[in-house]
Amino acid sequence: MPSERLDKLLASTGRWSRSEVKRLVREGRVEANGHIAASAEKKYDAHEVRLLVDGEAVRLCKFVYIMLNKPAGVLSATEDGKGKTVLELLPEEYSRRGLFPVGRLDKDTEGLLLLTDDGQLAHALLSPKRHVDKVYLAVVEGEPDEADRAAFARGMELGDGLKCLPAELEIVSAGARSEVKVTLREGKFHQVKRMLAARGKPVVYLKRLSMGPLGLDASLAPGQWRELTAPELSALAGQMKPK
Ligand code: URA
């Protein structure tokens, strides 16, 4: 990481805005390399500098976080001889950094996929103990009803013996083909498709809308991506707190 201004370095953590950093510096609450920082504009090497705010060490953002609207037809794997992977949708510098997708979406599923090189965050989001909510929009054949909603809420057991945690099924529109929102607190293989198929409502289209506090940016068309914003990073940082 090249040298960066102190306000930019601290704001990159998502904990303070640049104007809040300026105020902290004015109030003498920021220490850089053992000295009270005199200016928020002074540049430091992000790899070397030791920063404290109110006496507490600050971990700088040394990781990259990308939100991708995964298009159908692309694999959420880092490499695969059998087809195009999500990493091929990003500039090469990102794959060189060792970015990987946080969890998997099926090849034909679209929507929110987070890519990062931060293993600790990936672990926190995927850990089965944390039950991070994942919300999907599905188009299904047939008309889901109250009995389907209740079965999801009770926690379904699938044909192969897989016991699912209680989940939410919200009926968005009903007809010969219907739209539903499904909220899961776990992520088993093909889970949304298997749960809906078990209720006789096969999925014809699936898109992930959110994962924990992170919602898919509606302005991203399938295949488009952007880095996470500071508020999104702070929301994810909350997810890292020990449970
Ligand atoms: N559930 C599925 O069935 N497929 C996905 O891609 C994600 C969740």
Side-chain angles (χ1 to χ4, degrees), residues 196-222:
L196 285 162
R199 297 296 308 171
K201 313 288 175 334
V203 169
V204 295
Y205 171 80
L206 188 61
K207 176 179 183 176
R208 182 156 64 194
L209 301 177
S210 67
M211 187 173 189
L214 195 62
L216 177 66
D217 180 337
S219 73
L220 293 177

Short mmCIF file of all heavy atoms in Angstrom, two decimals, residues 196-222:
data_model
loop_
_atom_site.label_atom_id
_atom_site.label_comp_id
_atom_site.label_asym_id
_atom_site.label_seq_id
_atom_site.Cartn_x
_atom_site.Cartn_y
_atom_site.Cartn_z
N LEU A 196 -37.78 -25.70 -1.86
CA LEU A 196 -38.97 -25.36 -2.66
C LEU A 196 -39.42 -26.56 -3.50
O LEU A 196 -40.62 -26.81 -3.64
CB LEU A 196 -38.70 -24.12 -3.51
CG LEU A 196 -38.71 -22.82 -2.69
CD1 LEU A 196 -38.02 -21.68 -3.42
CD2 LEU A 196 -40.15 -22.42 -2.34
N ALA A 197 -38.47 -27.33 -4.01
CA ALA A 197 -38.83 -28.52 -4.80
C ALA A 197 -39.58 -29.52 -3.91
O ALA A 197 -40.55 -30.15 -4.33
CB ALA A 197 -37.59 -29.16 -5.41
N ALA A 198 -39.14 -29.62 -2.64
CA ALA A 198 -39.79 -30.56 -1.71
C ALA A 198 -41.24 -30.16 -1.44
O ALA A 198 -42.05 -30.99 -1.05
CB ALA A 198 -39.00 -30.61 -0.40
N ARG A 199 -41.55 -28.86 -1.64
CA ARG A 199 -42.94 -28.41 -1.48
C ARG A 199 -43.68 -28.42 -2.82
O ARG A 199 -44.75 -27.81 -2.95
CB ARG A 199 -42.97 -26.97 -0.90
CG ARG A 199 -42.36 -26.81 0.47
CD ARG A 199 -43.07 -27.56 1.56
NE ARG A 199 -44.51 -27.28 1.59
CZ ARG A 199 -45.39 -27.94 2.34
NH1 ARG A 199 -44.97 -28.91 3.14
NH2 ARG A 199 -46.67 -27.63 2.31
N GLY A 200 -43.06 -29.02 -3.85
CA GLY A 200 -43.70 -29.10 -5.18
C GLY A 200 -43.69 -27.77 -5.92
O GLY A 200 -44.54 -27.52 -6.78
N LYS A 201 -42.72 -26.90 -5.60
CA LYS A 201 -42.63 -25.59 -6.27
C LYS A 201 -41.21 -25.43 -6.83
O LYS A 201 -40.38 -24.70 -6.26
CB LYS A 201 -42.91 -24.43 -5.26
CG LYS A 201 -44.13 -24.62 -4.37
CD LYS A 201 -45.40 -24.46 -5.13
CE LYS A 201 -46.70 -24.72 -4.41
NZ LYS A 201 -46.81 -25.58 -3.28
N PRO A 202 -40.90 -26.10 -7.94
CA PRO A 202 -39.52 -26.04 -8.45
C PRO A 202 -39.09 -24.62 -8.84
O PRO A 202 -39.88 -23.84 -9.36
CB PRO A 202 -39.55 -26.96 -9.67
CG PRO A 202 -40.98 -27.16 -10.01
CD PRO A 202 -41.78 -26.93 -8.76
N VAL A 203 -37.84 -24.32 -8.55
CA VAL A 203 -37.29 -22.98 -8.81
C VAL A 203 -36.90 -22.87 -10.29
O VAL A 203 -36.22 -23.74 -10.82
CB VAL A 203 -36.03 -22.76 -7.92
CG1 VAL A 203 -35.28 -21.50 -8.35
CG2 VAL A 203 -36.43 -22.67 -6.45
N VAL A 204 -37.33 -21.77 -10.92
CA VAL A 204 -36.90 -21.54 -12.31
C VAL A 204 -35.92 -20.37 -12.39
O VAL A 204 -35.26 -20.18 -13.41
CB VAL A 204 -38.10 -21.31 -13.26
CG1 VAL A 204 -38.94 -22.56 -13.37
CG2 VAL A 204 -38.96 -20.13 -12.82
N TYR A 205 -35.83 -19.58 -11.32
CA TYR A 205 -34.88 -18.45 -11.31
C TYR A 205 -34.54 -18.16 -9.86
O TYR A 205 -35.42 -18.18 -8.99
CB TYR A 205 -35.51 -17.21 -11.94
CG TYR A 205 -34.69 -15.96 -11.77
CD1 TYR A 205 -33.58 -15.71 -12.60
CD2 TYR A 205 -34.98 -15.03 -10.77
CE1 TYR A 205 -32.82 -14.57 -12.43
CE2 TYR A 205 -34.22 -13.89 -10.59
CZ TYR A 205 -33.14 -13.66 -11.43
OH TYR A 205 -32.38 -12.54 -11.26
N LEU A 206 -33.25 -17.91 -9.58
CA LEU A 206 -32.84 -17.64 -8.20
C LEU A 206 -31.79 -16.53 -8.15
O LEU A 206 -30.85 -16.53 -8.96
CB LEU A 206 -32.27 -18.93 -7.58
CG LEU A 206 -31.97 -18.89 -6.08
CD1 LEU A 206 -33.24 -18.63 -5.27
CD2 LEU A 206 -31.36 -20.22 -5.63
N LYS A 207 -32.00 -15.63 -7.19
CA LYS A 207 -31.07 -14.50 -7.05
C LYS A 207 -30.88 -14.23 -5.56
O LYS A 207 -31.87 -14.17 -4.82
CB LYS A 207 -31.71 -13.28 -7.72
CG LYS A 207 -30.94 -11.99 -7.58
CD LYS A 207 -31.69 -10.90 -8.32
CE LYS A 207 -30.93 -9.59 -8.29
NZ LYS A 207 -31.62 -8.57 -9.07
N ARG A 208 -29.63 -14.04 -5.12
CA ARG A 208 -29.42 -13.67 -3.71
C ARG A 208 -29.47 -12.16 -3.58
O ARG A 208 -28.79 -11.44 -4.32
CB ARG A 208 -28.08 -14.20 -3.19
CG ARG A 208 -27.92 -13.86 -1.71
CD ARG A 208 -26.98 -14.77 -0.98
NE ARG A 208 -25.63 -14.66 -1.49
CZ ARG A 208 -24.69 -15.55 -1.21
NH1 ARG A 208 -24.94 -16.58 -0.44
NH2 ARG A 208 -23.48 -15.40 -1.71
N LEU A 209 -30.28 -11.71 -2.61
CA LEU A 209 -30.47 -10.27 -2.40
C LEU A 209 -29.59 -9.73 -1.29
O LEU A 209 -29.20 -8.56 -1.31
CB LEU A 209 -31.93 -9.98 -2.05
CG LEU A 209 -32.99 -10.40 -3.07
CD1 LEU A 209 -34.37 -10.10 -2.52
CD2 LEU A 209 -32.76 -9.69 -4.39
N SER A 210 -29.33 -10.54 -0.26
CA SER A 210 -28.52 -10.02 0.85
C SER A 210 -27.87 -11.15 1.63
O SER A 210 -28.28 -12.32 1.54
CB SER A 210 -29.38 -9.16 1.79
OG SER A 210 -30.33 -9.96 2.43
N MET A 211 -26.86 -10.74 2.38
CA MET A 211 -26.12 -11.67 3.23
C MET A 211 -25.78 -10.88 4.49
O MET A 211 -25.04 -9.90 4.41
CB MET A 211 -24.84 -12.07 2.50
CG MET A 211 -24.06 -13.16 3.17
SD MET A 211 -22.71 -13.64 2.07
CE MET A 211 -22.14 -15.07 2.92
N GLY A 212 -26.37 -11.28 5.62
CA GLY A 212 -26.17 -10.49 6.85
C GLY A 212 -26.56 -9.04 6.57
O GLY A 212 -27.58 -8.77 5.94
N PRO A 213 -25.70 -8.09 6.98
CA PRO A 213 -26.06 -6.68 6.83
C PRO A 213 -25.84 -6.14 5.41
O PRO A 213 -26.11 -4.98 5.14
CB PRO A 213 -25.10 -5.99 7.81
CG PRO A 213 -23.92 -6.90 7.90
CD PRO A 213 -24.42 -8.30 7.67
N LEU A 214 -25.32 -6.98 4.52
CA LEU A 214 -24.92 -6.51 3.19
C LEU A 214 -26.00 -6.80 2.16
O LEU A 214 -26.33 -7.97 1.91
CB LEU A 214 -23.63 -7.25 2.81
CG LEU A 214 -22.83 -6.70 1.66
CD1 LEU A 214 -22.34 -5.29 1.97
CD2 LEU A 214 -21.63 -7.62 1.38
N GLY A 215 -26.55 -5.72 1.57
CA GLY A 215 -27.59 -5.89 0.54
C GLY A 215 -27.00 -5.66 -0.83
O GLY A 215 -26.08 -4.84 -1.00
N LEU A 216 -27.54 -6.36 -1.83
CA LEU A 216 -27.07 -6.17 -3.21
C LEU A 216 -27.41 -4.76 -3.68
O LEU A 216 -28.56 -4.33 -3.57
CB LEU A 216 -27.72 -7.21 -4.13
CG LEU A 216 -27.36 -7.10 -5.61
CD1 LEU A 216 -25.89 -7.40 -5.86
CD2 LEU A 216 -28.23 -8.04 -6.45
N ASP A 217 -26.43 -4.05 -4.20
CA ASP A 217 -26.63 -2.71 -4.74
C ASP A 217 -27.45 -2.85 -6.03
O ASP A 217 -27.00 -3.47 -7.00
CB ASP A 217 -25.24 -2.11 -5.03
CG ASP A 217 -25.31 -0.71 -5.60
OD1 ASP A 217 -26.35 -0.35 -6.17
OD2 ASP A 217 -24.29 0.00 -5.50
N ALA A 218 -28.67 -2.26 -6.01
CA ALA A 218 -29.61 -2.44 -7.13
C ALA A 218 -29.08 -1.80 -8.41
O ALA A 218 -29.56 -2.10 -9.50
CB ALA A 218 -30.96 -1.86 -6.76
N SER A 219 -28.07 -0.92 -8.28
CA SER A 219 -27.56 -0.29 -9.50
C SER A 219 -26.52 -1.16 -10.21
O SER A 219 -26.05 -0.82 -11.29
CB SER A 219 -26.95 1.09 -9.18
OG SER A 219 -25.73 0.91 -8.50
N LEU A 220 -26.15 -2.30 -9.60
CA LEU A 220 -25.19 -3.18 -10.27
C LEU A 220 -25.93 -4.16 -11.17
O LEU A 220 -26.73 -4.97 -10.68
CB LEU A 220 -24.38 -3.99 -9.23
CG LEU A 220 -23.42 -3.25 -8.32
CD1 LEU A 220 -22.78 -4.22 -7.32
CD2 LEU A 220 -22.33 -2.55 -9.13
N ALA A 221 -25.68 -4.11 -12.46
CA ALA A 221 -26.28 -5.08 -13.39
C ALA A 221 -25.52 -6.40 -13.22
O ALA A 221 -24.39 -6.40 -12.72
CB ALA A 221 -26.14 -4.57 -14.81
N PRO A 222 -26.12 -7.53 -13.62
CA PRO A 222 -25.38 -8.80 -13.52
C PRO A 222 -24.01 -8.68 -14.19
O PRO A 222 -23.89 -8.15 -15.30
CB PRO A 222 -26.29 -9.79 -14.25
CG PRO A 222 -27.67 -9.22 -14.11
CD PRO A 222 -27.49 -7.72 -14.15
#
